[in-house]
Amino acid sequence: MTAPAPVPYDPELVAGLDAFVDLVEIIPLRADTIHANREHFATIIPPIEVQAEGRAVAWEHRTIPGPAGSPDVEVTIVRPARAASAPAPAVLSIHGGGMVLGTRFFGTGELIDLAERHGTVGVAVEYRLAPEHPGPAQAEDCYAALEWMAAHAEELGIDPDRIIASGMSAGGGLSAAVALLSRDRGGPRLAGQLLGCPMLDDRNETVSSRQYDGFGAWDRNNNDTAWDAIAGADRFSDDVSPYTAPARARDLSGLAPAFIEVGAAETFRDEAVDYALRIWATGGQAELHVWAGGYHGFHGFSPEAEVSRAANAARESWLRRVLRPDG
């Protein structure tokens, strides 16, 4: 089958895309290079001490109970340096990396920004990685962190009615999985789910997944490698849990309001659009943005581009609406 022609990148984004690929994808991600890629990621993610230097935040590490029968989970809490007089909104931060790479410190930069701009208390979770821990271990660890946040709301100084799950790429998919788990188990009520270019579907069969095959940021081959590690022999079958691949969920009703953002020029475009359509079909709330010419994670590596400014403004608007006390 001939791959469909790709959507062109916004010219303002090309330099950032090249920098992204040069920094992140030095070693092609394949089954036998996952560990080498993890080692590389460890060299490009600054420690929290560096990320927080000179910023108006305080941070601490904690060890919290993991899912029943599973190991404890490491988290990092980021809060404004000046304590709030009232319970603060909170963010469960779930890092990207295809569920095979990265650490929680890949997401703490977002928490520092949100603490300064919105006064949030953030919790970054160190979930288990595949293939050593197949799905849905990742989502279960993240959901355990959400339960802990809600149970310790008073101690943490957070408003349990204003917790959102937030992540990019794999973190976006896992935020969707946490929202499903919260609904299905009658768990803590999320105020929202921020799904940035979310990784939702193990099947990798969409038009957009075929448009970015062998090039771009997080192409079809990287995606196949990750999903093989996450789902194993169950991949492509109905045995894949919706908490592993949220696109597998048959019912998307009753979920927390979703903010879904994705580039038009990336692998995850079509599965993100389909997820929003399916939420709307149930009468649910979803705000969908598909950004013209945007590559995977474009606003992080090309922040000065006009389309990135628009994307950041849209995300800020949604956060203000969801995190306000009467949101």
Side-chain angles (χ1 to χ4, degrees):
M1 179 185 296
T2 303
V7 174
Y9 297 117
D10 183 314
E12 273 197 290
L13 299 179
V14 172
L17 171 60
D18 291 343
F20 180 108
V21 173
D22 287 346
L23 178 67
V24 175
E25 299 187 5
I26 291 177
I27 311 165
L29 183 65
R30 302 296 181 265
D32 61 349
T33 67
I34 288 174
H35 289 280
N37 272 278
R38 284 183 194 168
E39 292 174 3
H40 174 62
F41 255 63
T43 70
I44 65 174
I45 302 173
I48 185 68
E49 293 86 351
V50 172
Q51 294 183 36
E53 186 176 1
R55 307 292 294 271
V57 297
W59 56 271
E60 63 174 305
H61 304 313
R62 294 267 193 105
T63 301
I64 66 172
S70 297
D72 290 343
V73 174
E74 301 293 326
V75 300
T76 294
I77 303 164
V78 178
R79 53 170 54 90
R82 180 175 296 180
S85 58
V91 181
L92 172 64
S93 172
I94 306 175
H95 71 80
M99 293 183 252
V100 297
L101 308 173
T103 71
R104 67 188 185 275
F105 303 114
F106 203 28
T108 45
E110 174 200 30
L111 294 184
I112 291 168
D113 290 342
L114 291 174
E116 290 186 329
R117 291 200 310 272
H118 297 283
T120 59
V121 174
V123 175
V125 56
E126 193 72 54
Y127 59 82
R128 289 170 288 173
L129 299 176
E132 296 90 338
H133 305 282
Q138 298 75 32
E140 293 287 358
D141 286 350
C142 296
Y143 182 70
L146 173 64
E147 288 192 310
W148 178 81
M149 290 173 70
H152 293 78
E154 184 175 357
E155 172 197 349
L156 294 169
I158 66 175
D159 180 347
D161 292 325
R162 288 190 291 157
I163 301 174
I164 68 168
S166 174
M168 299 289 291
S169 195
L174 288 169
S175 295
V178 166
L180 289 166
L181 281 163
S182 177
R183 178 199 66 181
D184 294 347
R185 296 179 181 174
R189 175 182 171 272
L190 283 173
Q193 47 178 322
L194 197 165
L195 314 183
C197 47
M199 180 181 179
L200 298 165
D201 196 336
D202 66 288
R203 290 162 290 197
N204 205 23
E205 293 173 344
T206 63
V207 170
S208 60
S209 75
R210 297 184 184 279
Q211 287 177 301
Y212 300 92
D213 187 343
F215 64 97
W218 196 262
D219 78 329
R220 177 179 179 81
N221 300 296
N222 288 0
N223 206 34
D224 269 328
T225 297
W227 279 118
D228 284 346
I230 298 159
D234 288 342
R235 191 179 173 204
F236 302 109
S237 79
D238 291 339
D239 292 332
V240 175
S241 167
Y243 311 135
T244 297
R248 294 289 192 158
R250 296 183 179 182
D251 178 12
L252 297 184
S253 65
L255 294 173
F259 179 89
I260 304 173
E261 60 178 358
V262 69
E266 68 156 297
T267 302
F268 294 144
R269 180 194 68 220
D270 294 351
E271 61 197 70
V273 170
D274 183 67
Y275 204 72
L277 288 170
R278 292 179 57 208
I279 291 174
W280 289 326
T282 71
Q285 295 185 49
E287 181 171 322
L288 171 67
H289 296 271
V290 182
W291 296 104
Y295 62 86
H296 186 66
F298 67 93
H299 48 71
F301 275 80
S302 304
E304 298 307 316
E306 188 63 31
V307 68
S308 300
R309 293 176 185 271
N312 290 333
R315 191 181 323 105
E316 279 293 298
S317 171
W318 183 82
L319 284 166
R320 286 194 300 270
R321 285 175 276 140
V322 170
L323 296 177
R324 65 192 180 194
D326 60 343

